[in-house]
Amino acid sequence: MVSSLDGFIAKKDQSVSWLQSTDNYEKGITLSEEDVTKFIDSIDCYVMGSRTYEHALKLGWPYGNVPVIVLTHRDLMVDKENVELYSGDLEKLVNHQLKPKYSNIWMVGGAISTKEFMCLKLADDIIISIMPIILGDGTLFFDYIGQEQLLHLKDVTTYKDGMVELWYEVKKE
């Protein structure tokens, strides 16, 4: 997930135009196309909420032919063979359908889906990229999750554009 420094993942109007930074942090790194390709190729399956899915379609579908599970109770239009709609028990989906088939499942975007995954203890890691901006309002990434969760810092990466990526392991109790 990408958020502003104050924890918002979208403006009130759901726009994400602020994701492009013009900052220049000299000590930061720039990812090569090879780095990005290697990372993308490591993902076996994506899980996302319906609003993230609709947003991805508008932006130009970045998920290729990798299997995508869209969490929704709505009857959405699906015109891609690799996309499946799901509206059932998340624990059954993750533990019985996805984990036996895929080794690297990514839950991408969506405050509602993130909250559900965290509350059900279905997340192993959280990778959050903080953009150098304060939005002031909008959609919160962690929308009052209602429970404490211990994390272990696995890595921190700083980028030339001022973005900071924090990678946490979700500690299992």
Side-chain angles (χ1 to χ4, degrees), residues 51-110:
R51 284 187 250 169
T52 301
Y53 168 70
E54 290 170 323
H55 195 70
L57 288 172
K58 287 179 191 171
L59 291 177
W61 195 250
Y63 305 105
N65 294 321
V66 174
V68 174
I69 309 300
V70 178
L71 307 174
T72 187
H73 296 290
R74 298 184 288 146
D75 188 24
L76 297 174
M77 165 96 162
V78 175
D79 64 352
K80 299 188 176 308
E81 286 184 25
N82 60 316
V83 174
E84 177 186 331
L85 302 179
Y86 184 84
S87 64
D89 183 311
L90 287 181
E91 289 177 296
K92 285 182 183 175
L93 171 68
V94 172
N95 294 323
H96 301 290
Q97 289 179 245
L98 300 181
K99 279 189 176 181
K101 289 168 56 175
Y102 307 110
S103 61
N104 193 4
I105 304 162
W106 274 77
M107 208 297 282
V108 291

Side-chain angles (χ1 to χ4, degrees), residues 14-73:
Q14 298 305 309
S15 71
V16 291
S17 57
W18 53 273
L19 288 175
Q20 299 299 317
S21 172
T22 57
D23 196 15
N24 185 18
Y25 177 61
E26 290 181 21
K27 296 179 190 175
I29 65 166
T30 301
L31 289 175
S32 68
E33 271 191 50
E34 184 179 302
D35 294 331
V36 173
T37 300
K38 183 179 175 184
F39 171 75
I40 298 289
D41 288 348
S42 75
I43 299 170
D44 300 321
C45 177
Y46 293 98
V47 177
M48 65 185 66
S50 60
R51 284 187 250 169
T52 301
Y53 168 70
E54 290 170 323
H55 195 70
L57 288 172
K58 287 179 191 171
L59 291 177
W61 195 250
Y63 305 105
N65 294 321
V66 174
V68 174
I69 309 300
V70 178
L71 307 174
T72 187
H73 296 290

Side-chain angles (χ1 to χ4, degrees), residues 83-154:
V83 174
E84 177 186 331
L85 302 179
Y86 184 84
S87 64
D89 183 311
L90 287 181
E91 289 177 296
K92 285 182 183 175
L93 171 68
V94 172
N95 294 323
H96 301 290
Q97 289 179 245
L98 300 181
K99 279 189 176 181
K101 289 168 56 175
Y102 307 110
S103 61
N104 193 4
I105 304 162
W106 274 77
M107 208 297 282
V108 291
I112 295 168
S113 300
T114 299
K115 183 176 180 177
E116 288 183 63
F117 269 68
M118 292 302 297
C119 287
L120 293 170
K121 308 239 184 262
L122 294 173
D124 296 322
D125 292 315
I126 297 172
I127 298 176
I128 183 162
S129 298
I130 311 287
M131 295 301 291
I133 188 170
I134 294 173
L135 293 178
D137 66 4
T139 303
L140 283 170
F141 178 40
F142 289 112
D143 183 17
Y144 308 102
I145 203 160
Q147 68 183 31
E148 185 175 300
Q149 178 64 62
L150 292 174
L151 305 172
H152 167 70
L153 183 64
K154 289 175 82 171

